[in-house]
Amino acid sequence: MLDEKNMKREVFDETEDWKDITEEEEETGLPENDEEWEEDEEVWDPELLIRCDSLVKIYKSEDVEVMALQGLDLEIKKGELMAVIGKSGSGKSTLMNMIGGLERPSAGKLYIDGKDLFSLTDSEMVEYRNRTVGFVWQKSSRNLVPYMTAIENIEVPMYFTGKTPGEMREKAMELLEKVGMLHKKDSYPGQMSGGEQQRVAIAVALANEPVILLADEPTGAVDSKTSNRIQDLFRTLNKELGITIIIVTHDVSLANKVGRVVMISDGKISTEKIMKEEYQRAINLLDGESVNANESHEEYSVLDKARRLQLNEEILAAAGIDSNKVKVQVVDDKVVITKE
């Protein structure tokens, strides 16, 4: 039977760390720094809010399997205003549902502020959806109760929070003012325009002061002028409340008003666009107006954990690449991809 010292030697031989042990450590059988042989728990970045780690989601229907997410990796910082963009079927709505705690992955993990979301119990998950996440859906029927007024709709999420009726009414009035809908407090959804309904829906989503606001195609059913106003409202709320806002859409024009745009293709992150500082300063001076998106963002392609690169159709077409084989060369410290 091995003694303690030889057992430790065996462990270090396997990890190739034994060769770095000093003579003093050889005598005691222990390394000077425990980190050399014992892996500590990962330290969570305090600025990080969400981390998706190799998320996979497979939907099964009879004999057909559809892979919506294929090992997706993504990090989102606290207080970010960002958009997740992709074509229909790209996996963007599946990602939003997972962050919202509405779906579980087939594989992979999702961490919220350092905690594994899907290790929560059912009751903890309900609490998470009620207190941590706010939802704004494209269809007003999912956001608002048709037989309740605007102010009554906002009060609904607060019924089980312990607030008194007076406190609920005060909070609802405050939110209506924040979204510019105080004048419609006694109106029913059917008496409001599509843009007005969405503004009230945003107020409903903010009722319990969530950490994350998820918006699924929030401008999909309104005209461009109303869309710009809703986008400006998201920017204002993000700035004033410090809330993390994730907008899921196929509308590329949303890139005009958000700090980061993540593009999903075939269940993975393909590219990211980061807003330039000078452009950010320019749009901060605008109110409800569309701005020219040319040169607004710096675009980056994203390597996955296996160091694979995904090229979108536009890039391939611009390069005249129409086959599945390319030449990859390093020229003057640059990676050059050309057709075969």
Side-chain angles (χ1 to χ4, degrees), residues 306-329:
R307 294 293 182 258
R308 290 171 297 197
L309 177 66
Q310 189 178 56
L311 302 178
N312 61 41
E313 295 175 1
E314 290 78 9
I315 291 177
L316 293 174
I321 298 174
D322 55 5
S323 71
N324 63 348
K325 293 182 180 180
V326 296
K327 289 183 178 179
V328 181
Q329 297 173 299

Side-chain angles (χ1 to χ4, degrees), residues 78-94:
K78 294 177 181 177
E80 273 203 72
L81 170 58
M82 63 175 295
V84 178
I85 292 180
K87 296 180 179 179
S88 179
S90 62
K92 61 185 185 299
S93 293
T94 299

Side-chain angles (χ1 to χ4, degrees), residues 4 50 54 79 81 95 117 119 201 252 275 277:
E4 182 180 359
I50 301 169
S54 302
L81 170 58
L95 173 62
L117 179 61
S119 67
V252 180
M275 184 178 287
E277 290 185 9

